[in-house]
Amino acid sequence: MRAIGIILAGGNNNRMRELSNKRAIAAMPVAGSYRAIDFALSNMANSHIQKVAVLTQYNARSLNEHLSSSKWWDLGRKQGGLYVFTPTITKENSLWYQGTADAIYQNLTFLKNSHEPYVVIASGDGIYKLDYNKVLEYHIAKRADITVVCTTCRDQNEVERFGVLRMNEDCRIEEFEEKPMVSSYNTVSTGIYVIRRRQLIELIERAAQEGRHDFVNDILIRYKNLKRIYGYKIDTYWSNISTADAYYRTNMAFLEPEIRNYFFKQEPGIKTRIADVPPAKYNPGADVKNSLVSSGCIINGTVENSVLFRNVFVGNNCVIKNSVILNDVYLGDNTHIENCIVESRDTIRANSYYCGEDGVKIVVEKNERYVL
Amino acid sequence: MIKKEMIAMLLAGGQGSRLGVLTEKVAKPAVAFGGKYRIIDFPLSNCINSGIDTVGVLTQYQPLRLNTHIGIGIPWDLDRNEGGVTVLPPYEKSTSSEWYTGTANAIYQNLAYMEQYNPDYVLILSGDHIYKMDYEVMLDFHKANKADVTIACMPVPMEEASRFGIMVTDESSRITEFEEKPEHPSSNLASMGIYIFSWPVLKEALIALKDQNGCDFGKHVLPYCKEKGQRLFAYEYNGYWKDVGTLGSYWEANMELIDIIPEFNLYEEFWRIYTKGDVIPPQYVSSEAVVDRCLIGEETEIYGEVHNSVIGPNVTIGKGTVIRDSIIMRNSEIGENVVMDKSIVAEDVVIGNHVVLGCGDEAPNVLKPAVYAFGLAVVGENSVIPDNVRIGKNTAISGVTTRDDYPGGELAGGQVIPAKDGGRE
């Protein structure tokens, strides 16, 4: 293979609200059966990238547990493998990762010891399918120094979350603004980059010498007039889950047949850690409409327009509407949940009432988990 | 030297001909069960949950699906540096070559496999029962009684005892007599086909009986051991155990999983059943769908009505369709406005629109009245059923069928459409 992979999964974001108390964004459960990082990891594996490093920092326990075996993504290889790099104290350095570029700098040995000519850098919070080989071919054809995968942001209010860019007719990036408050452009970076390995080492070392730590500001934007930085535009589904609202919307998107078909039925598929739970069970009283239900669920009540993750128990006379219920939640009898995200491994006591009035509500009761 | 206290030998070579078209192309242990599993998952999971990490699986009849399913044993944590799972098909020897002619003969042909682990005990299992059992407890019983052979038995109703191999025991559980399917049983302890042998006893018996034609544990090895005066004990088991050898018992065992708190509970966190998890996405239930009293597998999409049924992974059930009391295995597509009652649909089947399955009165099957009974309509794997046909009870369909196979658009009760071309590719 011509490339190695780096997945940046260290991030946290207070716009995830309570959801990021427990885990890094890359470990967020998505679409019933997956975690966010499965998408980048599966894309790597499906693009025949055999050597992947995941850089973690913020609350990585869930993520480490998820990545405890690399066999699910077929990355348990002698030629390559899956590496998880958390910050460590060394002779030269005793700081946390101070930014994306610094995270790569602190693991520069991994890059130096590899022999593959290219590096694919992706973030762990994107929900998409992409054959990185196509980006790599484009990168080579354009004789680019860095290729940035970008997409059109459909909601102009959302551009402030992203790097916004403008390309010339040759697709070379001429303007790049990181998270502007307002912008007249709507082409945004997806945080996926292709770059020659030696070029990356050189840029990262230079940035480190100058005490610069951020990949976007200190490399992409700083070098955009000096280096050949190109945009590769995708028009397939791409979503970033790093706010609670975006997270909710992304999960709900899987209720649409086109998106379900694209991710679930079309090859290549997304892989994840196998959970060994029995099929979902519908008892008398179950009334399920337009919903995704994962294995291990037991349903005794009403579920509408919702996404149920694994091992959710829905008690008698419950009503669940327009909600995302994360894995291992026990919902006591007569509970009403509407426009909510219910945090995982929780027990919601019988007769509870939760309704997100304006916008989605995050439910965390922190009761001891009730085990069947 | 490698040393394993107890290894397991799992007999998975049988066809299970009483399952009819379900085992036309796969061995019985590879038949799907419970909306997610295959029958062999139960003994394999029992092994790893009991701490047995060395399992030889003896295959013979149609082993492809079984081999693919087992692989190197990853789902059961049986991918080991030492031991793990090994598939043992019959093989050619320098002087002769023969198939496995009987259960004990199959084990005899793999003496070398067992020898390399230097075991103290060998557990013999069959791959066609649904149960959860801690073999370690059985081994403790074996050791406590200083037994040479321990046979797992369960009490059955006296009136059914004549269908089983019956053990007569004294007050210390030592077996004093066997009765093979006795007309007038003198006990109700039925053998479950699970044996623990002390290794020297097993080895000696297998070598002594090596020329026995069709050498079988129940018929030859156990009587031989008893005649030699060895200590045979019955280990009484009182949990759930189901032989899914007939279409009726297979259907029943699946339906029992639907009970609110089933006797055989897959949802307990303790003693998990593992299987190859190759289907990941969640299932989708549409706005028009009605689902109650069901088990439903991953990636299945439901647009119709499903009542009291077990549906496997990646099945599609079309709009306006009504399914009752049925089993549908993985990757099958059921069209729109289908009515299906008490049917078993195997893997990768395509059923057209407006098909009625399992209708009318019961008539005895013309080909195999003992197999295709219980009022079930059975569709074999890779079959295709065209639009607008009616199919009666006690029927069997295998392979790609067209409108011409249904005189007057109907397959009357008790009729069979056998496979013509090996099915849909």
Side-chain angles (χ1 to χ4, degrees):
Chain A
M1 179 55 207
R2 292 178 296 172
I4 56 171
I6 293 179
I7 298 176
L8 301 169
N12 177 29
N13 186 333
N14 54 14
R15 295 180 63 183
M16 282 306 268
R17 297 194 257 157
E18 298 90 327
L19 290 172
S20 63
N21 290 351
K22 256 168 70 162
R23 54 177 102 69
I25 296 175
M28 281 307 294
V30 174
S33 307
Y34 305 91
R35 286 184 187 266
I37 198 169
D38 290 331
F39 292 82
L41 261 184
S42 301
N43 287 334
M44 296 269 177
N46 293 338
S47 307
H48 309 292
I49 296 175
Q50 298 186 0
K51 190 172 178 185
V52 179
V54 178
L55 308 186
T56 71
Q57 171 156 292
Y58 177 80
N59 204 348
R61 195 198 55 78
S62 287
L63 194 59
N64 286 338
E65 192 182 314
H66 188 64
L67 302 177
S68 62
S69 172
S70 50
K71 60 186 163 194
W72 312 120
W73 302 274
D74 268 342
L75 287 168
R77 301 288 115 184
K78 286 192 284 181
Q79 300 185 334
L82 178 65
Y83 302 80
V84 180
F85 293 135
T86 43
T88 51
I89 293 174
T90 62
K91 205 160 144 259
E92 294 83 26
N93 176 55
S94 56
L95 295 168
W96 293 94
Y97 296 153
Q98 295 167 77
T100 44
D102 186 48
I104 298 173
Y105 179 71
Q106 290 196 32
N107 296 292
L108 211 57
T109 330
F110 171 76
L111 285 177
K112 287 184 167 169
N113 291 350
S114 300
H115 60 83
E116 291 82 350
Y118 295 96
V119 183
V120 175
I121 302 174
S123 69
D125 54 6
I127 307 303
Y128 63 104
K129 281 210 237 184
L130 180 60
D131 182 353
Y132 298 128
N133 288 316
K134 290 199 176 128
V135 188
L136 185 55
E137 276 159 30
Y138 175 90
H139 178 83
I140 294 166
K142 289 283 184 195
R143 293 185 295 114
D145 290 308
I146 304 174
T147 298
V148 179
V149 178
C150 51
T151 188
T152 305
C153 183
R154 282 172 189 86
D155 183 355
Q156 201 66 29
N157 297 322
E158 288 258 297
V159 294
E160 52 148 345
R161 290 170 52 203
F162 303 112
V164 184
L165 52 91
R166 186 181 65 77
M167 298 184 277
N168 67 12
E169 56 284 358
D170 187 38
C171 292
R172 185 163 172 179
I173 294 174
E174 295 196 324
E175 284 182 61
F176 198 126
E177 278 184 288
E178 177 69 340
K179 299 175 183 161
M181 289 308 287
V182 281
S183 175
S184 46
Y185 309 122
N186 66 349
T187 302
V188 297
S189 161
T190 60
I192 305 162
Y193 316 108
V194 172
I195 182 167
R196 206 155 45 78
R197 185 174 56 89
R198 287 181 190 285
Q199 173 85 81
L200 180 64
I201 292 170
E202 194 185 306
L203 290 171
I204 293 280
E205 277 183 332
R206 177 84 181 270
Q209 273 166 19
E210 295 168 348
R212 296 173 189 273
H213 304 303
D214 187 62
F215 188 80
V216 175
N217 283 310
D218 301 328
I219 292 176
L220 285 184
I221 294 178
R222 199 147 179 270
Y223 283 90
K224 74 174 188 300
N225 301 325
L226 186 65
K227 297 284 182 186
R228 294 168 60 83
I229 303 182
Y230 277 80
Y232 176 91
K233 200 150 185 182
I234 51 170
D235 55 6
T236 45
Y237 183 89
W238 177 85
S239 164
N240 176 290
I241 57 157
S242 65
T243 70
D245 286 331
Y247 174 71
Y248 174 82
R249 269 202 315 274
T250 304
N251 277 297
M252 286 301 179
F254 282 82
L255 293 177
E256 292 165 27
E258 301 77 39
I259 290 176
R260 227 168 37 239
N261 183 47
Y262 176 62
F263 281 101
F264 296 170
K265 306 278 182 191
Q266 284 177 32
E267 291 290 324
I270 306 298
K271 304 285 188 292
T272 188
R273 192 165 88 123
I274 299 300
D276 293 302
V277 284
K281 188 159 184 276
Y282 295 73
N283 284 334
D287 181 10
V288 181
K289 303 279 181 216
N290 188 37
S291 294
L292 283 172
V293 179
S294 307
S295 42
C297 288
I298 300 179
I299 302 175
N300 297 288
T302 301
V303 180
E304 264 180 51
N305 307 323
S306 296
V307 179
L308 268 50
F309 284 70
R310 288 197 182 109
N311 293 331
V312 170
F313 181 92
V314 178
N316 294 318
N317 301 317
C318 281
V319 177
I320 318 292
K321 274 186 186 165
N322 309 323
S323 292
V324 175
I325 317 286
L326 299 192
N327 52 290
D328 300 280
V329 170
Y330 181 95
L331 299 165
D333 294 352
N334 311 314
T335 295
H336 184 103
I337 308 256
E338 197 170 342
N339 302 329
C340 290
I341 300 173
V342 180
E343 179 58 291
S344 65
R345 297 184 179 279
D346 214 335
T347 295
I348 305 299
R349 296 210 170 91
N351 308 311
S352 303
Y353 182 92
Y354 288 102
C355 181
E357 297 297 343
D358 33 55
V360 52
K361 183 185 182 84
I362 295 170
V363 179
V364 187
E365 276 202 358
K366 290 195 174 151
N367 294 322
E368 204 161 291
R369 163 129 168 79
Y370 180 81
V371 178
L372 285 181
Chain B
M1 187 165 56
I2 298 177
K3 169 86 189 160
K4 300 275 182 188
E5 189 189 21
M6 180 155 81
I7 65 170
M9 298 296 275
L10 178 47
L11 297 159
Q15 177 183 2
S17 54
R18 287 172 304 158
L19 288 179
V21 289
L22 296 186
T23 51
E24 207 168 62
K25 287 174 203 133
V26 293
K28 179 161 136 191
V31 171
F33 184 85
K36 172 158 185 161
Y37 305 94
R38 297 190 186 279
I39 296 171
I40 197 170
D41 291 334
F42 297 89
L44 279 178
S45 300
N46 287 338
C47 279
I48 197 67
N49 289 339
S50 307
I52 299 169
D53 67 4
T54 307
V55 184
V57 179
L58 299 113
T59 61
Q60 175 156 290
Y61 176 80
Q62 294 274 30
L64 176 62
R65 172 107 14 103
L66 211 48
N67 289 338
T68 319
H69 184 66
I70 293 171
I72 59 166
I74 287 176
W76 307 272
D77 268 351
L78 285 171
D79 50 326
R80 300 286 164 134
N81 290 327
E82 268 179 21
V85 66
T86 310
V87 177
L88 302 167
Y91 56 95
E92 195 176 356
K93 292 136 198 104
S94 56
T95 50
S96 68
S97 56
E98 56 170 349
W99 295 101
Y100 295 150
T101 59
T103 52
N105 175 268
I107 305 291
Y108 167 73
Q109 292 196 38
N110 289 288
L111 273 180
Y113 169 79
M114 295 184 282
E115 206 103 55
Q116 64 182 341
Y117 294 108
N118 194 23
D120 295 329
Y121 308 98
V122 176
L123 171 69
I124 310 287
L125 301 169
S126 63
D128 44 11
H129 298 144
I130 307 296
Y131 64 112
K132 296 182 191 176
M133 183 172 178
D134 190 341
Y135 304 130
E136 213 172 0
V137 176
M138 183 173 166
L139 180 62
D140 291 342
F141 175 89
H142 182 86
K143 288 179 190 165
N145 285 303
K146 298 192 169 53
D148 295 309
V149 187
T150 299
I151 301 163
C153 299
M154 64 183 296
V156 293
M158 207 64 186
E159 59 273 18
E160 284 182 38
S162 54
R163 286 173 40 215
F164 294 92
I166 293 296
M167 306 287 143
V168 185
T169 59
D170 64 14
E171 61 285 356
S172 67
S173 295
R174 185 164 176 178
I175 295 169
T176 54
E177 224 177 310
F178 308 113
E179 294 170 352
E180 189 62 27
K181 298 188 177 147
E183 221 171 295
H184 304 288
S186 38
S187 147
N188 68 339
L189 268 186
S191 166
M192 297 160 67
I194 300 166
Y195 316 110
I196 290 177
F197 282 88
S198 295
W199 167 239
V201 175
L202 177 66
K203 189 176 168 186
E204 190 274 328
L206 290 175
I207 293 171
L209 293 168
K210 69 182 162 66
D211 295 322
Q212 173 67 47
N213 209 6
C215 191
D216 182 88
F217 277 101
K219 286 195 201 106
H220 308 112
V221 176
L222 296 180
Y224 172 85
C225 291
K226 178 143 185 311
E227 256 164 54
K228 282 198 70 184
Q230 278 155 341
R231 294 171 64 80
L232 277 67
F233 281 80
Y235 170 72
E236 193 175 321
Y237 175 77
N238 285 300
Y240 182 94
W241 179 84
K242 192 103 182 173
D243 180 357
V244 289
T246 65
L247 287 170
S249 62
Y250 172 81
W251 179 81
E252 237 174 60
N254 272 282
M255 291 299 134
E256 281 167 6
L257 296 173
I258 299 169
D259 296 344
I260 292 189
I261 297 176
E263 193 187 342
F264 188 72
N265 195 346
L266 294 166
Y267 295 83
E268 289 164 339
E269 307 229 339
F270 177 69
W271 214 268
R272 273 205 196 168
I273 304 301
Y274 300 97
T275 188
K276 187 172 182 227
D278 42 8
V279 186
I280 298 163
Q283 59 198 245
Y284 177 73
V285 181
S286 85
S287 306
E288 311 90 62
V290 178
V291 184
D292 75 326
R293 287 169 292 128
C294 285
L295 285 193
I296 296 182
E298 288 99 341
E299 212 185 338
T300 286
E301 305 226 332
I302 298 179
Y303 299 93
E305 282 187 34
V306 191
H307 304 278
N308 204 43
S309 296
V310 175
I311 313 290
N314 197 18
V315 171
T316 309
I317 294 171
K319 268 184 208 165
T321 289
V322 181
I323 292 175
R324 283 178 289 250
D325 309 318
S326 296
I327 299 165
I328 301 176
M329 298 182 203
R330 64 176 61 204
N331 304 336
S332 288
E333 276 173 54
I334 316 296
E336 296 181 3
N337 302 309
V338 171
V339 178
M340 187 189 294
D341 282 287
K342 209 176 170 187
S343 302
I344 301 176
V345 176
E347 301 176 28
D348 300 287
V349 170
V350 177
I351 295 183
N353 301 329
H354 300 280
V355 171
V356 181
L357 200 59
C359 60
D361 297 324
E362 277 196 44
N365 191 273
V366 289
L367 224 57
K368 295 175 182 165
V371 173
Y372 302 115
F374 319 101
L376 288 161
V378 187
V379 184
E381 67 180 67
N382 289 305
S383 300
V384 175
I385 297 178
D387 294 351
N388 301 313
V389 294
R390 298 171 60 81
I391 297 156
K393 292 178 173 143
N394 294 337
T395 49
I397 292 171
S398 176
V400 179
T401 61
T402 58
R403 187 83 192 158
D404 302 337
D405 295 309
Y406 302 84
E410 187 164 349
L411 185 73
Q415 299 296 312
V416 173
I417 305 181
K420 292 181 283 267
D421 58 349
R424 183 169 68 102
E425 288 309 315

